Amino acid sequence: MKPELTISKDVITIDTKTALNGEDILHLTNARAIDDRTGQDISSKLLVNMANVNLGQAGMYDATISILDENGSLQPLREIAIKIVGNTADQNAYNQQPQQNMRRRSAEPTQLQQQSKAQQQPQQQTTKEDEQAANNEQKKPRKKKKGCLKKIIYLLLGILAIYLVWTGISYHQTRQKIDDQGSQIAELQRKNDSLGDQLDTANTQIKELRQNYKATKNAVKNYKKDEDGYRQQYVSQMQQVSQSLASLKQQLDNQTQQSGFLYNVLNGRLDNLQTTVNQMISAQSAEQAQNILDNYKWYK
């Protein structure tokens, strides 16, 4: 039976700069699992499959919250959605353009007023002296206009240089962020592949454990039929099972990091069955061996 799973929300929204893993999803959704038979909190057994999520790429993706059942297999419980949105820096720059346009428009009437005032200056053509004075007055502003034009050109060049430098710095920073995000995505993919390898190892270990347990039950069954005839065969089969369990233990230590939930579960089951087999080898009768086997608990 499926355990009872409760979460606070089905959709998680992040931006392309956020690095997200399974533990973050369990925290953001407040995921909590309760054993429907014992009422025990088994939230520590929850895992999240993010194989279809492409971090750093905007879009809507699906992720699955699963749990590791008593047989060591992943059991899907619920699907959630992960919404990845783009950066808002371009949108903010776009929103600032109307303000700049308003400033330019407000400056245009002022320039028009200045030009109209200059055109409305009275022209006195009375005498030659007045004409020469007017000509002298017109020459002076032209020199000033030439000086102002140079200042404006220098100012524009300075602004252009600052813009080019700022653009180069922004491009470098953006490129660095993209490289960092690529490294984070690669690391998440590596962890996901590693988890998949550990799950494959766990399924193989559990399958071989079941085969050894089945061999143990068959040996006890034959032993009960004829204690004298099958005593030696029973002891030999128990010793073979013990050697197989020791080999499984060595494989588990070599193929995993000797830490984490999967390792603890498999290691505990191996030790439990190994202890039971050692006790059964020392059993003095078929009935005693059967009692030891009956006390064996698979899930411990």
Side-chain angles (χ1 to χ4, degrees):
M1 298 178 67
K2 287 187 177 181
E4 181 180 357
L5 175 67
T6 58
I7 59 177
S8 61
K9 55 184 177 180
D10 295 327
V11 180
I12 298 174
T13 302
I14 62 174
D15 58 23
T16 54
K17 294 182 179 180
T18 302
L20 196 70
N21 56 30
E23 294 180 359
D24 295 333
I25 291 179
L26 295 176
H27 177 71
L28 292 174
T29 57
N30 296 320
R32 187 167 180 262
I34 302 297
D35 192 321
D36 57 346
R37 292 178 298 179
T38 63
Q40 181 182 3
D41 189 348
I42 53 176
S43 302
S44 60
K45 297 182 180 180
L46 293 176
L47 297 172
V48 179
N49 184 359
M50 296 177 59
N52 296 327
V53 180
N54 186 5
L55 295 175
Q57 181 67 35
M60 183 71 74
Y61 303 94
D62 293 331
T64 304
I65 298 179
S66 306
I67 193 167
L68 195 68
D69 58 14
E70 295 178 355
N71 296 327
S73 300
L74 280 178
Q75 183 179 9
L77 297 180
R78 189 160 183 176
E79 289 188 356
I80 62 172
I82 299 177
K83 182 178 180 182
I84 302 178
V85 297
N87 190 7
T88 59
D90 296 335
Q91 184 65 28
N92 292 334
Y94 177 79
N95 293 333
Q96 291 177 359
Q97 289 181 356
Q99 298 179 358
Q100 295 177 355
N101 293 334
M102 291 177 64
R103 293 174 182 173
R104 292 175 182 175
R105 291 176 182 175
S106 62
E108 289 176 359
T110 303
Q111 294 176 355
L112 292 174
Q113 292 176 1
Q114 292 177 355
Q115 292 177 0
S116 62
K117 289 180 180 180
Q119 292 175 358
Q120 292 177 0
Q121 291 179 356
Q123 297 179 357
Q124 300 177 357
Q125 299 179 354
T126 57
T127 62
K128 293 182 179 180
E129 294 180 356
D130 294 336
E131 290 179 358
Q132 292 178 356
N135 292 332
N136 293 333
E137 289 178 357
Q138 291 178 358
K139 291 179 180 179
K140 292 180 180 179
R142 289 179 182 176
K143 294 181 179 179
K144 292 182 179 180
K145 289 181 179 179
K146 290 182 180 180
C148 293
L149 183 59
K150 290 182 180 180
K151 292 181 180 180
I152 292 174
I153 293 174
Y154 292 151
L155 180 61
L156 292 175
L157 291 175
I159 293 174
L160 179 61
I162 295 173
Y163 174 77
L164 292 176
V165 173
W166 178 81
T167 303
I169 294 175
S170 299
Y171 174 79
H172 177 74
Q173 292 177 349
T174 303
R175 188 65 185 176
Q176 185 65 34
K177 290 180 181 178
I178 293 174
D179 294 340
D180 294 341
Q181 290 177 359
S183 300
Q184 292 176 359
I185 293 172
E187 180 65 18
L188 288 174
Q189 185 65 37
R190 185 190 64 79
K191 292 181 179 179
N192 191 27
D193 294 341
S194 177
L195 178 60
D197 295 339
Q198 292 183 13
L199 289 176
D200 292 340
T201 301
N203 290 330
T204 303
Q205 295 278 336
I206 291 173
K207 182 178 180 181
E208 295 187 13
L209 273 173
R210 289 175 177 172
Q211 292 176 354
N212 286 310
Y213 177 68
K214 184 177 180 181
T216 302
K217 290 180 64 177
N218 292 335
V220 174
K221 183 177 180 181
N222 293 330
Y223 186 30
K224 289 180 67 176
K225 289 181 180 179
D226 185 357
E227 293 193 12
D228 295 334
Y230 284 93
R231 172 65 185 176
Q232 186 62 35
Q233 182 180 356
Y234 162 78
V235 173
S236 176
Q237 289 179 345
M238 289 297 98
Q239 290 175 348
Q240 291 177 2
V241 171
S242 179
Q243 293 176 358
S244 177
L245 292 175
S247 177
L248 286 175
K249 173 69 174 177
Q250 185 63 36
Q251 292 177 7
L252 181 63
D253 292 340
N254 293 337
Q255 296 177 2
T256 62
Q257 299 178 355
Q258 301 185 15
S259 63
F261 177 75
L262 287 175
Y263 175 81
N264 294 334
V265 171
L266 293 174
N267 189 55
R269 291 181 179 180
L270 281 171
D271 291 342
N272 188 20
L273 184 56
Q274 180 69 69
T275 302
T276 301
V277 171
N278 292 340
Q279 293 176 354
M280 294 177 68
I281 293 176
S282 304
Q284 300 300 320
S285 65
E287 183 178 0
Q288 185 179 3
Q290 184 64 52
N291 291 335
I292 295 173
L293 184 61
D294 291 340
N295 291 329
Y296 168 71
K297 301 297 182 182
W298 172 263
Y299 54 86
K300 289 186 176 180

